[in-house]
PDB file of all heavy atoms in Angstrom:
ATOM      1  N   GLN A1406      -9.738 -10.723   9.388  1.00 90.00           N
ATOM      2  CA  GLN A1406      -9.950 -11.560  10.609  1.00 90.00           C
ATOM      3  C   GLN A1406      -9.438 -12.839  10.591  1.00 90.00           C
ATOM      4  O   GLN A1406      -9.807 -13.696  11.483  1.00 90.00           O
ATOM      5  CB  GLN A1406     -11.489 -11.467  10.868  1.00 90.00           C
ATOM      6  CG  GLN A1406     -12.155 -10.160  10.969  1.00 90.00           C
ATOM      7  CD  GLN A1406     -11.482  -9.130  11.778  1.00 90.00           C
ATOM      8  OE1 GLN A1406     -11.048  -9.505  12.925  1.00 90.00           O
ATOM      9  NE2 GLN A1406     -11.287  -7.942  11.331  1.00 90.00           N
ATOM     10  N   LEU A1407      -8.533 -13.176   9.667  1.00 89.00           N
ATOM     11  CA  LEU A1407      -7.954 -14.634   9.571  1.00 89.00           C
ATOM     12  C   LEU A1407      -6.672 -14.586  10.546  1.00 89.00           C
ATOM     13  O   LEU A1407      -5.964 -13.671  10.572  1.00 89.00           O
ATOM     14  CB  LEU A1407      -7.444 -14.751   8.101  1.00 89.00           C
ATOM     15  CG  LEU A1407      -6.860 -16.086   7.849  1.00 89.00           C
ATOM     16  CD1 LEU A1407      -7.802 -17.237   7.773  1.00 89.00           C
ATOM     17  CD2 LEU A1407      -6.047 -16.138   6.530  1.00 89.00           C
ATOM     18  N   ALA A1408      -6.644 -15.613  11.261  1.00 90.00           N
ATOM     19  CA  ALA A1408      -5.535 -15.915  12.241  1.00 90.00           C
ATOM     20  C   ALA A1408      -4.404 -16.567  11.396  1.00 90.00           C
ATOM     21  O   ALA A1408      -4.662 -17.538  10.646  1.00 90.00           O
ATOM     22  CB  ALA A1408      -5.843 -16.787  13.369  1.00 90.00           C
ATOM     23  N   ILE A1409      -3.102 -15.969  11.353  1.00 91.00           N
ATOM     24  CA  ILE A1409      -2.114 -16.553  10.615  1.00 91.00           C
ATOM     25  C   ILE A1409      -0.930 -16.952  11.513  1.00 91.00           C
ATOM     26  O   ILE A1409      -0.782 -16.355  12.497  1.00 91.00           O
ATOM     27  CB  ILE A1409      -1.587 -15.668   9.457  1.00 91.00           C
ATOM     28  CG1 ILE A1409      -1.362 -14.292   9.978  1.00 91.00           C
ATOM     29  CG2 ILE A1409      -2.701 -15.582   8.426  1.00 91.00           C
ATOM     30  CD1 ILE A1409       0.075 -14.070  10.145  1.00 91.00           C
ATOM     31  N   HIS A1410       0.007 -17.922  11.077  1.00 89.00           N
ATOM     32  CA  HIS A1410       1.081 -18.194  11.873  1.00 89.00           C
ATOM     33  C   HIS A1410       2.416 -17.784  11.146  1.00 89.00           C
ATOM     34  O   HIS A1410       2.566 -17.972   9.959  1.00 89.00           O
ATOM     35  CB  HIS A1410       1.278 -19.692  12.090  1.00 89.00           C
ATOM     36  CG  HIS A1410       2.421 -20.158  12.798  1.00 89.00           C
ATOM     37  ND1 HIS A1410       2.511 -19.885  14.178  1.00 89.00           N
ATOM     38  CD2 HIS A1410       3.544 -20.874  12.522  1.00 89.00           C
ATOM     39  CE1 HIS A1410       3.628 -20.452  14.659  1.00 89.00           C
ATOM     40  NE2 HIS A1410       4.324 -20.898  13.611  1.00 89.00           N
ATOM     41  N   ASN A1411       3.267 -16.983  11.855  1.00 87.00           N
ATOM     42  CA  ASN A1411       4.574 -16.476  11.390  1.00 87.00           C
ATOM     43  C   ASN A1411       5.599 -17.426  11.778  1.00 87.00           C
ATOM     44  O   ASN A1411       5.949 -17.671  12.889  1.00 87.00           O
ATOM     45  CB  ASN A1411       4.730 -15.120  11.898  1.00 87.00           C
ATOM     46  CG  ASN A1411       6.086 -14.460  11.489  1.00 87.00           C
ATOM     47  OD1 ASN A1411       6.960 -15.201  11.022  1.00 87.00           O
ATOM     48  ND2 ASN A1411       6.191 -13.266  11.589  1.00 87.00           N
ATOM     49  N   ILE A1412       6.168 -18.236  10.674  1.00 84.00           N
ATOM     50  CA  ILE A1412       7.123 -19.274  10.956  1.00 84.00           C
ATOM     51  C   ILE A1412       8.447 -18.632  11.657  1.00 84.00           C
ATOM     52  O   ILE A1412       8.901 -19.118  12.561  1.00 84.00           O
ATOM     53  CB  ILE A1412       7.544 -20.052   9.716  1.00 84.00           C
ATOM     54  CG1 ILE A1412       6.333 -20.831   9.258  1.00 84.00           C
ATOM     55  CG2 ILE A1412       8.663 -21.016   9.915  1.00 84.00           C
ATOM     56  CD1 ILE A1412       6.607 -21.582   7.977  1.00 84.00           C
ATOM     57  N   ASN A1413       8.923 -17.548  10.979  1.00 79.00           N
ATOM     58  CA  ASN A1413      10.175 -16.985  11.488  1.00 79.00           C
ATOM     59  C   ASN A1413      10.130 -16.379  12.947  1.00 79.00           C
ATOM     60  O   ASN A1413      10.917 -16.688  13.739  1.00 79.00           O
ATOM     61  CB  ASN A1413      10.599 -15.748  10.499  1.00 79.00           C
ATOM     62  CG  ASN A1413      10.803 -16.223   9.166  1.00 79.00           C
ATOM     63  OD1 ASN A1413       9.960 -16.851   8.474  1.00 79.00           O
ATOM     64  ND2 ASN A1413      12.012 -16.004   8.605  1.00 79.00           N
ATOM     65  N   GLY A1414       8.938 -15.766  13.130  1.00 80.00           N
ATOM     66  CA  GLY A1414       8.880 -15.254  14.600  1.00 80.00           C
ATOM     67  C   GLY A1414       8.068 -16.224  15.485  1.00 80.00           C
ATOM     68  O   GLY A1414       8.028 -15.874  16.637  1.00 80.00           O
ATOM     69  N   ASN A1415       7.839 -17.447  15.048  1.00 83.00           N
ATOM     70  CA  ASN A1415       7.073 -18.442  15.748  1.00 83.00           C
ATOM     71  C   ASN A1415       5.961 -17.802  16.625  1.00 83.00           C
ATOM     72  O   ASN A1415       5.887 -18.034  17.820  1.00 83.00           O
ATOM     73  CB  ASN A1415       8.158 -19.142  16.697  1.00 83.00           C
ATOM     74  CG  ASN A1415       7.384 -20.462  17.215  1.00 83.00           C
ATOM     75  OD1 ASN A1415       6.582 -21.029  16.728  1.00 83.00           O
ATOM     76  ND2 ASN A1415       7.937 -20.866  18.293  1.00 83.00           N
ATOM     77  N   CYS A1416       5.083 -16.983  15.949  1.00 87.00           N
ATOM     78  CA  CYS A1416       3.849 -16.423  16.653  1.00 87.00           C
ATOM     79  C   CYS A1416       2.677 -16.451  15.786  1.00 87.00           C
ATOM     80  O   CYS A1416       2.819 -16.564  14.540  1.00 87.00           O
ATOM     81  CB  CYS A1416       4.294 -14.992  17.066  1.00 87.00           C
ATOM     82  SG  CYS A1416       4.616 -13.932  15.696  1.00 87.00           S
ATOM     83  N   THR A1417       1.522 -16.377  16.520  1.00 91.00           N
ATOM     84  CA  THR A1417       0.309 -16.331  15.678  1.00 91.00           C
ATOM     85  C   THR A1417      -0.391 -14.903  15.783  1.00 91.00           C
ATOM     86  O   THR A1417      -0.378 -14.373  16.982  1.00 91.00           O
ATOM     87  CB  THR A1417      -0.768 -17.490  16.229  1.00 91.00           C
ATOM     88  OG1 THR A1417      -0.136 -18.663  16.170  1.00 91.00           O
ATOM     89  CG2 THR A1417      -1.998 -17.383  15.540  1.00 91.00           C
ATOM     90  N   GLU A1418      -0.775 -14.384  14.657  1.00 91.00           N
ATOM     91  CA  GLU A1418      -1.377 -13.040  14.690  1.00 91.00           C
ATOM     92  C   GLU A1418      -2.697 -13.054  13.950  1.00 91.00           C
ATOM     93  O   GLU A1418      -2.951 -14.075  13.208  1.00 91.00           O
ATOM     94  CB  GLU A1418      -0.368 -11.984  14.076  1.00 91.00           C
ATOM     95  CG  GLU A1418       0.895 -11.960  14.812  1.00 91.00           C
ATOM     96  CD  GLU A1418       1.711 -10.675  14.286  1.00 91.00           C
ATOM     97  OE1 GLU A1418       1.433  -9.570  14.713  1.00 91.00           O
ATOM     98  OE2 GLU A1418       2.580 -10.933  13.384  1.00 91.00           O
ATOM     99  N   ARG A1419      -3.454 -11.983  14.064  1.00 92.00           N
ATOM    100  CA  ARG A1419      -4.638 -11.887  13.208  1.00 92.00           C
ATOM    101  C   ARG A1419      -4.667 -10.695  12.327  1.00 92.00           C
ATOM    102  O   ARG A1419      -4.340  -9.642  12.666  1.00 92.00           O
ATOM    103  CB  ARG A1419      -5.928 -11.701  14.280  1.00 92.00           C
ATOM    104  CG  ARG A1419      -7.248 -11.858  13.560  1.00 92.00           C
ATOM    105  CD  ARG A1419      -8.326 -11.910  14.629  1.00 92.00           C
ATOM    106  NE  ARG A1419      -8.239 -13.170  15.370  1.00 92.00           N
ATOM    107  CZ  ARG A1419      -8.809 -14.290  15.058  1.00 92.00           C
ATOM    108  NH1 ARG A1419      -9.255 -14.427  13.912  1.00 92.00           N
ATOM    109  NH2 ARG A1419      -8.744 -15.352  15.982  1.00 92.00           N
ATOM    110  N   ILE A1420      -5.021 -10.925  11.032  1.00 92.00           N
ATOM    111  CA  ILE A1420      -5.196  -9.869  10.068  1.00 92.00           C
ATOM    112  C   ILE A1420      -6.464  -9.064  10.389  1.00 92.00           C
ATOM    113  O   ILE A1420      -7.485  -9.723  10.313  1.00 92.00           O
ATOM    114  CB  ILE A1420      -5.066 -10.366   8.562  1.00 92.00           C
ATOM    115  CG1 ILE A1420      -3.796 -11.093   8.333  1.00 92.00           C
ATOM    116  CG2 ILE A1420      -5.512  -9.352   7.530  1.00 92.00           C
ATOM    117  CD1 ILE A1420      -3.747 -11.940   6.926  1.00 92.00           C
ATOM    118  N   SER A1421      -6.396  -7.807  10.477  1.00 91.00           N
ATOM    119  CA  SER A1421      -7.680  -7.094  10.701  1.00 91.00           C
ATOM    120  C   SER A1421      -8.342  -6.631   9.474  1.00 91.00           C
ATOM    121  O   SER A1421      -9.521  -6.662   9.297  1.00 91.00           O
ATOM    122  CB  SER A1421      -7.509  -5.940  11.740  1.00 91.00           C
ATOM    123  OG  SER A1421      -6.523  -5.004  11.158  1.00 91.00           O
ATOM    124  N   ARG A1422      -7.485  -6.157   8.458  1.00 90.00           N
ATOM    125  CA  ARG A1422      -8.081  -5.677   7.296  1.00 90.00           C
ATOM    126  C   ARG A1422      -7.093  -6.101   6.140  1.00 90.00           C
ATOM    127  O   ARG A1422      -5.970  -6.395   6.346  1.00 90.00           O
ATOM    128  CB  ARG A1422      -8.123  -4.197   7.290  1.00 90.00           C
ATOM    129  CG  ARG A1422      -9.158  -3.646   8.231  1.00 90.00           C
ATOM    130  CD  ARG A1422      -8.919  -2.203   8.484  1.00 90.00           C
ATOM    131  NE  ARG A1422      -9.384  -1.328   7.313  1.00 90.00           N
ATOM    132  CZ  ARG A1422      -8.931  -0.021   7.345  1.00 90.00           C
ATOM    133  NH1 ARG A1422      -8.150   0.547   8.222  1.00 90.00           N
ATOM    134  NH2 ARG A1422      -9.393   0.616   6.217  1.00 90.00           N
ATOM    135  N   LEU A1423      -7.620  -6.258   4.890  1.00 90.00           N
ATOM    136  CA  LEU A1423      -7.045  -6.668   3.773  1.00 90.00           C
ATOM    137  C   LEU A1423      -7.215  -5.562   2.672  1.00 90.00           C
ATOM    138  O   LEU A1423      -8.350  -5.210   2.442  1.00 90.00           O
ATOM    139  CB  LEU A1423      -7.522  -7.931   3.223  1.00 90.00           C
ATOM    140  CG  LEU A1423      -6.688  -8.878   2.268  1.00 90.00           C
ATOM    141  CD1 LEU A1423      -5.505  -9.102   2.841  1.00 90.00           C
ATOM    142  CD2 LEU A1423      -7.513 -10.136   1.873  1.00 90.00           C
ATOM    143  N   LEU A1424      -6.163  -5.130   2.165  1.00 85.00           N
ATOM    144  CA  LEU A1424      -6.092  -4.034   1.097  1.00 85.00           C
ATOM    145  C   LEU A1424      -5.577  -4.309  -0.273  1.00 85.00           C
ATOM    146  O   LEU A1424      -4.512  -5.176  -0.183  1.00 85.00           O
ATOM    147  CB  LEU A1424      -5.524  -2.783   1.752  1.00 85.00           C
ATOM    148  CG  LEU A1424      -6.051  -2.232   3.078  1.00 85.00           C
ATOM    149  CD1 LEU A1424      -4.960  -1.370   3.660  1.00 85.00           C
ATOM    150  CD2 LEU A1424      -7.360  -1.678   3.091  1.00 85.00           C
ATOM    151  N   LEU A1425      -5.945  -3.671  -1.254  1.00 78.00           N
ATOM    152  CA  LEU A1425      -5.310  -3.728  -2.532  1.00 78.00           C
ATOM    153  C   LEU A1425      -4.413  -2.535  -2.716  1.00 78.00           C
ATOM    154  O   LEU A1425      -4.950  -1.394  -2.569  1.00 78.00           O
ATOM    155  CB  LEU A1425      -6.393  -3.814  -3.563  1.00 78.00           C
ATOM    156  CG  LEU A1425      -6.134  -4.566  -5.002  1.00 78.00           C
ATOM    157  CD1 LEU A1425      -5.742  -6.007  -4.729  1.00 78.00           C
ATOM    158  CD2 LEU A1425      -7.260  -4.366  -5.892  1.00 78.00           C
ATOM    159  N   PRO A1426      -3.122  -2.623  -2.990  1.00 69.00           N
ATOM    160  CA  PRO A1426      -2.348  -1.470  -3.123  1.00 69.00           C
ATOM    161  C   PRO A1426      -2.470  -0.591  -4.385  1.00 69.00           C
ATOM    162  O   PRO A1426      -2.412  -1.109  -5.440  1.00 69.00           O
ATOM    163  CB  PRO A1426      -0.979  -2.052  -2.874  1.00 69.00           C
ATOM    164  CG  PRO A1426      -1.074  -3.441  -3.521  1.00 69.00           C
ATOM    165  CD  PRO A1426      -2.443  -3.863  -3.331  1.00 69.00           C
ATOM    166  N   PHE A1427      -2.585   0.658  -4.102  1.00 57.00           N
ATOM    167  CA  PHE A1427      -2.417   1.598  -5.232  1.00 57.00           C
ATOM    168  C   PHE A1427      -1.475   2.800  -4.774  1.00 57.00           C
ATOM    169  O   PHE A1427      -1.990   3.796  -4.318  1.00 57.00           O
ATOM    170  CB  PHE A1427      -3.902   2.133  -5.579  1.00 57.00           C
ATOM    171  CG  PHE A1427      -3.796   3.213  -6.681  1.00 57.00           C
ATOM    172  CD1 PHE A1427      -3.066   3.009  -7.859  1.00 57.00           C
ATOM    173  CD2 PHE A1427      -4.321   4.415  -6.555  1.00 57.00           C
ATOM    174  CE1 PHE A1427      -2.947   3.880  -8.805  1.00 57.00           C
ATOM    175  CE2 PHE A1427      -4.230   5.442  -7.551  1.00 57.00           C
ATOM    176  CZ  PHE A1427      -3.570   5.152  -8.738  1.00 57.00           C
ATOM    177  N   ALA A1428      -0.215   2.484  -4.836  1.00 46.00           N
ATOM    178  CA  ALA A1428       0.935   3.427  -4.290  1.00 46.00           C
ATOM    179  C   ALA A1428       0.570   3.741  -2.879  1.00 46.00           C
ATOM    180  O   ALA A1428       0.389   2.786  -2.050  1.00 46.00           O
ATOM    181  CB  ALA A1428       1.049   4.667  -5.147  1.00 46.00           C
ATOM    182  N   ASP A1429       0.202   4.941  -2.458  1.00 48.00           N
ATOM    183  CA  ASP A1429      -0.183   5.146  -1.063  1.00 48.00           C
ATOM    184  C   ASP A1429      -1.682   5.351  -0.894  1.00 48.00           C
ATOM    185  O   ASP A1429      -2.162   5.924   0.130  1.00 48.00           O
ATOM    186  CB  ASP A1429       0.517   6.360  -0.389  1.00 48.00           C
ATOM    187  CG  ASP A1429       0.403   7.626  -1.223  1.00 48.00           C
ATOM    188  OD1 ASP A1429      -0.246   7.569  -2.242  1.00 48.00           O
ATOM    189  OD2 ASP A1429       0.685   8.788  -0.560  1.00 48.00           O
ATOM    190  N   GLN A1430      -2.445   4.836  -1.817  1.00 63.00           N
ATOM    191  CA  GLN A1430      -3.849   4.766  -1.687  1.00 63.00           C
ATOM    192  C   GLN A1430      -4.277   3.234  -1.782  1.00 63.00           C
ATOM    193  O   GLN A1430      -3.707   2.548  -2.638  1.00 63.00           O
ATOM    194  CB  GLN A1430      -4.560   5.497  -2.800  1.00 63.00           C
ATOM    195  CG  GLN A1430      -4.341   6.950  -2.871  1.00 63.00           C
ATOM    196  CD  GLN A1430      -5.417   7.695  -3.671  1.00 63.00           C
ATOM    197  OE1 GLN A1430      -6.515   7.582  -3.201  1.00 63.00           O
ATOM    198  NE2 GLN A1430      -5.020   8.394  -4.623  1.00 63.00           N
ATOM    199  N   HIS A1431      -5.291   2.845  -0.862  1.00 72.00           N
ATOM    200  CA  HIS A1431      -5.508   1.516  -0.731  1.00 72.00           C
ATOM    201  C   HIS A1431      -7.067   1.251  -0.699  1.00 72.00           C
ATOM    202  O   HIS A1431      -7.781   1.916  -0.124  1.00 72.00           O
ATOM    203  CB  HIS A1431      -4.930   0.864   0.513  1.00 72.00           C
ATOM    204  CG  HIS A1431      -3.384   1.237   0.630  1.00 72.00           C
ATOM    205  ND1 HIS A1431      -3.024   1.837   1.733  1.00 72.00           N
ATOM    206  CD2 HIS A1431      -2.470   1.015  -0.251  1.00 72.00           C
ATOM    207  CE1 HIS A1431      -1.593   2.053   1.553  1.00 72.00           C
ATOM    208  NE2 HIS A1431      -1.305   1.548   0.320  1.00 72.00           N
ATOM    209  N   VAL A1432      -7.463   0.095  -1.453  1.00 78.00           N
ATOM    210  CA  VAL A1432      -8.851  -0.256  -1.529  1.00 78.00           C
ATOM    211  C   VAL A1432      -9.076  -1.392  -0.557  1.00 78.00           C
ATOM    212  O   VAL A1432      -8.373  -2.494  -0.793  1.00 78.00           O
ATOM    213  CB  VAL A1432      -9.232  -0.632  -2.858  1.00 78.00           C
ATOM    214  CG1 VAL A1432     -10.716  -0.851  -3.072  1.00 78.00           C
ATOM    215  CG2 VAL A1432      -8.811   0.393  -3.872  1.00 78.00           C
ATOM    216  N   GLU A1433     -10.102  -1.416   0.311  1.00 84.00           N
ATOM    217  CA  GLU A1433     -10.433  -2.597   1.092  1.00 84.00           C
ATOM    218  C   GLU A1433     -11.106  -3.643   0.375  1.00 84.00           C
ATOM    219  O   GLU A1433     -11.930  -3.416  -0.447  1.00 84.00           O
ATOM    220  CB  GLU A1433     -11.045  -2.161   2.389  1.00 84.00           C
ATOM    221  CG  GLU A1433     -11.151  -3.331   3.389  1.00 84.00           C
ATOM    222  CD  GLU A1433     -11.346  -2.747   4.762  1.00 84.00           C
ATOM    223  OE1 GLU A1433     -11.207  -1.544   4.965  1.00 84.00           O
ATOM    224  OE2 GLU A1433     -11.667  -3.538   5.658  1.00 84.00           O
ATOM    225  N   ILE A1434     -10.627  -4.896   0.556  1.00 86.00           N
ATOM    226  CA  ILE A1434     -11.267  -6.033  -0.173  1.00 86.00           C
ATOM    227  C   ILE A1434     -11.676  -7.205   0.808  1.00 86.00           C
ATOM    228  O   ILE A1434     -11.031  -7.368   1.843  1.00 86.00           O
ATOM    229  CB  ILE A1434     -10.309  -6.595  -1.299  1.00 86.00           C
ATOM    230  CG1 ILE A1434      -8.802  -6.797  -0.662  1.00 86.00           C
ATOM    231  CG2 ILE A1434     -10.268  -5.672  -2.521  1.00 86.00           C
ATOM    232  CD1 ILE A1434      -7.843  -7.421  -1.634  1.00 86.00           C
ATOM    233  N   PRO A1435     -12.562  -8.196   0.425  1.00 88.00           N
ATOM    234  CA  PRO A1435     -12.994  -9.206   1.294  1.00 88.00           C
ATOM    235  C   PRO A1435     -12.082 -10.428   1.272  1.00 88.00           C
ATOM    236  O   PRO A1435     -12.108 -11.249   2.177  1.00 88.00           O
ATOM    237  CB  PRO A1435     -14.304  -9.476   0.711  1.00 88.00           C
ATOM    238  CG  PRO A1435     -14.409  -9.223  -0.646  1.00 88.00           C
ATOM    239  CD  PRO A1435     -13.382  -8.037  -0.807  1.00 88.00           C
ATOM    240  N   SER A1436     -11.244 -10.681   0.218  1.00 88.00           N
ATOM    241  CA  SER A1436     -10.363 -11.885   0.197  1.00 88.00           C
ATOM    242  C   SER A1436      -9.472 -11.664  -0.980  1.00 88.00           C
ATOM    243  O   SER A1436      -9.708 -10.860  -1.898  1.00 88.00           O
ATOM    244  CB  SER A1436     -11.204 -13.214  -0.084  1.00 88.00           C
ATOM    245  OG  SER A1436     -11.880 -13.114  -1.339  1.00 88.00           O
ATOM    246  N   LEU A1437      -8.400 -12.504  -0.997  1.00 88.00           N
ATOM    247  CA  LEU A1437      -7.417 -12.435  -2.037  1.00 88.00           C
ATOM    248  C   LEU A1437      -6.787 -13.802  -2.215  1.00 88.00           C
ATOM    249  O   LEU A1437      -6.476 -14.534  -1.190  1.00 88.00           O
ATOM    250  CB  LEU A1437      -6.393 -11.364  -1.847  1.00 88.00           C
ATOM    251  CG  LEU A1437      -5.742 -10.714  -3.057  1.00 88.00           C
ATOM    252  CD1 LEU A1437      -6.787 -10.034  -3.860  1.00 88.00           C
ATOM    253  CD2 LEU A1437      -4.575  -9.730  -2.594  1.00 88.00           C
ATOM    254  N   THR A1438      -6.702 -14.316  -3.424  1.00 88.00           N
ATOM    255  CA  THR A1438      -6.161 -15.714  -3.719  1.00 88.00           C
ATOM    256  C   THR A1438      -4.711 -15.728  -4.156  1.00 88.00           C
ATOM    257  O   THR A1438      -4.113 -14.632  -4.356  1.00 88.00           O
ATOM    258  CB  THR A1438      -7.154 -16.397  -4.734  1.00 88.00           C
ATOM    259  OG1 THR A1438      -7.045 -15.520  -5.859  1.00 88.00           O
ATOM    260  CG2 THR A1438      -8.437 -16.652  -4.212  1.00 88.00           C
ATOM    261  N   ALA A1439      -4.219 -16.882  -4.440  1.00 88.00           N
ATOM    262  CA  ALA A1439      -2.833 -17.147  -4.700  1.00 88.00           C
ATOM    263  C   ALA A1439      -2.462 -16.388  -5.986  1.00 88.00           C
ATOM    264  O   ALA A1439      -3.302 -16.175  -6.971  1.00 88.00           O
ATOM    265  CB  ALA A1439      -2.583 -18.641  -4.873  1.00 88.00           C
TER     266      ALA A1439
END
Side-chain angles (χ1 to χ4, degrees):
Q1406 305 309 316
L1407 181 75
I1409 54 99
H1410 180 70
N1411 179 336
I1412 296 182
N1413 301 55
N1415 194 21
C1416 60
T1417 299
E1418 298 190 84
R1419 190 173 293 278
I1420 295 169
S1421 59
R1422 292 162 72 196
L1423 196 60
L1424 307 165
L1425 206 60
F1427 176 52
D1429 59 346
Q1430 298 203 54
H1431 307 125
V1432 187
E1433 191 151 347
I1434 50 172
S1436 67
L1437 211 57
T1438 52

